Amino acid sequence: MGMSMSQKILAAHAGLKEVRAGQLINARVDLALANDITGPVAIKEFVRSGAKKTADSSKIALVMDHFAPNKDIKSAQQCKICREFAAEQNVQNFFDVGQMGIEHALLPEKGLVGAGDLVIGADSHTCTYGALGAFSTGVGSTDMCAAMMSGECWFKVPAAIKFTLIGKPRRYVCGKDVILHIIGLIGVDGALYKSMEFTGDGVANLGIDDRFTICNMAIEAGAKNGIFPVDDITREYLKNHFKREVREFAADPDAEYEREYVIDLSKIEPTVAFPHLPENARTPESWGKVKIDQAVIGSCTNGHITDLRMAAEVLKGRKVAKGVRAIVIPATNEIYLQALKEGLIETFIEAGAIVSTPTCGPCLGGYMGILAENERAVSTTNRNFVGRMGHSSSEVYLASPYVAAASAVAGYLTTPDALAGDTLTGDGSENATNAANGTKNGASGGATNAAENEVKR
Amino acid sequence: MKVKGRVFRYGNDVDTDVIIPARYLNTTSESELAAHCMEDIDGEFIKKVQKGDIIVAGDNFGCGSSREHAPIAIKASGVSLVIANSFARIFYRNSINIGLPILECPEAVKEINAGDTVSCDLSSGKITNESTGKSFTAQPFPPFIQEIIADGGLIKHLKKENR
């Protein structure tokens, strides 16, 4: 039996010819990442350990993005700890306000992660870089500290699940719908400890930003990592960004997969995850009329330039509904500048949205858009847990930039198609949604069955 | 290492946002984090929890963010052990790394209710529900992981080894 793509990258970094699922290995890390939340904990451990110097400061990245620009004195202290550590240890890849962006959009843009890399990060969405053909996974602050000290990390080699993508997404359907659909199918622990390996002809119909979105949310199915094969789209992106040597790995033809799914992209509908789990995936016919108070378009999941283009396409010439607060957050300064050049920022402001500096802010209920009691947000972020974006009675509906923008205009959950068809009454009245009652594997929506066949071996 | 305490019982998919909401992540102080542990899922937890108490939960405990603040908050609140059907991957690793004992044991989870008194021998994995007299055996950690936990976490363990 051959190895999966993830296993081949792990083997190469452990100096082994082959590895097997379940094997414990120690592997060299190409980049270890932390942010202003997890960095201080790792630094505290580093100091506690008595270590004097990092193994290789060029393989460390610290990004001030979660509560930066600082929301309060305590957050400012956290950033100060990171800033001082970076100066003391000569960490060149320290990104502060002005150079920073949301870490998982920033590091690929800066060319710090690429195909064949092994990346760990003290942030669960570190799995994003699988889009570039890297093995990347989230760890905690202690593992981050150990990697700063040794340049290595131990891993249990994951088994893999294969997702064969076929077909082409229809209009107004993007990577976000694909991954919400898949999480609805397999559940929030459907890929626990495993690699989600995407393959098939349909991959060519997904741009690099769609792939970032899909890999970003692999953790929401419990996965250790998500990974895409390296193709011309990847190579083109890496050519323009990546500074080191590209190492292309591919799964062996006889690689062992624990399960296989075939996903027909052309059959995927706009998909929203209802509160309070990302697996509560529903398609429009089962949305009901969910009135919203806030729309957030941004985050490491959907703050890329193509995401902003999707939102602007819907918002162009329209107005955000009265009573809805629309917040757009470009993920990096470069994306912000590009959006400015393309006139997207003007579109957002004219529509009645606000545009924020890059920050994780509202996604984790930090700042820049916190929800009050019983409020609802449609959001392009990645988690809709209880209290994720504010008060413990508030609700988050995870959606694509298309759906978030259309919903901001309508005042309740809707699609660009429905908006264009003017099939709405627009009175903003509200029906009970029983959102929290959604059951596992999309059964409540009853609409996630069309697009997939599970191939059991 | 033996532990014993009263049980707080939770369901499936207890996520790190309810274990310690992000609004409190602007500190690394263990006592400050503990003061808000489980706040969004069980406001009574922090008022009632006593040193040695045990959390028992269903599938996928600790899903979500990589914040090590989550197991830190649980440990600092006084909890001596978390028993669940399964743990989310990063939480599992973080718990070992900071020295919070955890065990996977679906048989025990089925037979333990809130308020029961439970004892456990971490070296053998034997769990006893003292309130009902029933016993269960979880797969114990291999000795080197048990040592990390007993030493209070990976960094303290490495420091001791290098001494």
Side-chain angles (χ1 to χ4, degrees), chain A residues 308-346:
Chain A
L308 301 186
R309 285 178 191 142
M310 290 178 210
E313 185 186 335
V314 176
L315 291 172
K316 182 97 184 155
R318 292 190 169 113
K319 291 280 181 204
V320 170
K322 200 165 185 279
V324 175
R325 313 178 297 263
I327 301 162
V328 182
I329 311 178
T332 68
N333 259 0
E334 193 175 309
I335 293 168
Y336 200 137
L337 194 57
Q338 181 64 26
L340 200 62
K341 286 176 186 163
E342 292 180 20
L344 310 182
I345 303 294
E346 197 177 332

Side-chain angles (χ1 to χ4, degrees), chain A residues 24 37-38 40-41 44-45 48-50 67 71-72 74-75 78 121-124 137-143 145-146 149 153-156 188-189 192-193 219-220 222-224 276-277 279 364-366 383 385-388 390 392 440, chain B residues 12-18 21-30 32-33 39-41 59-61 63-69 72 86-90 92-94 96-98 104 142 144-145 148 152-156 158-159 162:
Chain A
L24 287 169
I37 304 261
T38 59
V41 180
K44 195 171 163 182
E45 290 293 311
R48 205 182 266 177
S49 76
F67 296 160
K71 75 185 181 92
D72 53 24
K74 281 183 171 179
S75 314
Q78 301 285 87
D123 187 279
S124 58
T137 191
V139 297
S141 294
T142 300
D143 281 323
C145 171
M149 289 164 71
C153 190
W154 68 266
F155 298 90
K156 190 171 175 179
V188 290
D189 57 356
L192 200 57
Y193 300 112
I219 179 67
E220 310 313 332
K224 185 162 197 158
H276 290 284
L277 285 174
E279 70 184 15
L364 74 165
R383 290 194 176 124
F385 299 150
V386 169
R388 173 74 178 179
S392 60
K440 206 151 185 163
Chain B
N12 294 336
D13 304 314
V14 172
D15 61 76
T16 52
D17 275 273
V18 296
R23 58 185 178 274
Y24 303 119
L25 297 187
N26 53 7
T27 177
T28 60
S29 155
E30 294 175 8
E32 270 185 69
L33 292 169
E39 188 173 284
D40 282 358
I41 191 177
D59 300 337
N60 202 25
F61 187 87
C63 62
S65 136
S66 68
R67 62 187 72 157
E68 213 158 281
H69 313 65
I72 289 173
S86 63
F87 291 91
R89 188 188 72 80
I90 307 177
Y92 185 90
R93 205 173 161 116
N94 285 349
I96 294 168
N97 282 343
I98 65 122
E104 291 185 341
F144 85 96
I145 300 256
I148 293 175
L154 181 64
I155 300 297
K156 285 182 190 157
L158 291 177
K159 223 176 147 181
N162 293 337

Side-chain angles (χ1 to χ4, degrees), chain B residues 107-126:
Chain B
E107 297 76 28
V109 170
K110 229 182 285 168
E111 301 280 343
I112 296 175
N113 294 311
D116 287 355
T117 297
V118 165
S119 63
C120 178
D121 180 348
L122 296 174
S123 52
S124 68
K126 189 180 174 194

Side-chain angles (χ1 to χ4, degrees), chain B residues 45-65:
Chain B
F45 174 82
I46 206 63
K47 293 179 205 158
K48 290 186 179 162
V49 70
Q50 287 171 15
K51 196 165 167 47
D53 283 353
I54 291 171
I55 288 177
V56 177
D59 300 337
N60 202 25
F61 187 87
C63 62
S65 136

Side-chain angles (χ1 to χ4, degrees), chain A residues 10-93:
Chain A
L10 284 169
H13 285 77
L16 299 169
K17 230 182 217 157
E18 65 168 18
V19 295
R20 291 273 158 252
Q23 188 177 342
L24 287 169
I25 58 162
N26 213 31
R28 193 171 40 75
V29 168
D30 292 305
L31 192 76
L33 154 82
N35 55 51
D36 51 319
I37 304 261
T38 59
V41 180
I43 292 165
K44 195 171 163 182
E45 290 293 311
F46 188 86
V47 172
R48 205 182 266 177
S49 76
K52 294 276 176 285
K53 226 172 156 312
T54 60
D56 183 350
S57 65
S58 71
K59 292 181 174 169
I60 298 170
L62 293 169
V63 186
M64 305 298 97
D65 58 359
H66 276 58
F67 296 160
N70 298 136
K71 75 185 181 92
D72 53 24
I73 294 168
K74 281 183 171 179
S75 314
Q77 293 294 126
Q78 301 285 87
C79 284
K80 189 165 184 257
I81 291 168
C82 296
R83 196 175 294 124
E84 288 174 354
F85 179 81
E88 176 196 306
Q89 294 291 333
N90 192 28
V91 176
Q92 294 298 310
N93 296 315

Side-chain angles (χ1 to χ4, degrees), chain A residues 353-413:
Chain A
I354 65 131
V355 183
S356 156
T357 181
T359 178
C360 304
C363 170
L364 74 165
Y367 69 126
M368 200 63 83
I370 303 299
L371 299 174
E373 204 172 347
N374 297 321
E375 284 192 333
R376 293 200 186 107
V378 60
S379 179
T380 68
T381 54
N382 42 54
R383 290 194 176 124
N384 54 354
F385 299 150
V386 169
R388 173 74 178 179
M389 204 177 264
H391 194 278
S392 60
S393 67
S394 62
E395 295 183 342
V396 178
Y397 295 74
L398 303 177
S400 73
Y402 285 129
V403 168
S407 305
V409 171
Y412 47 85
L413 277 190

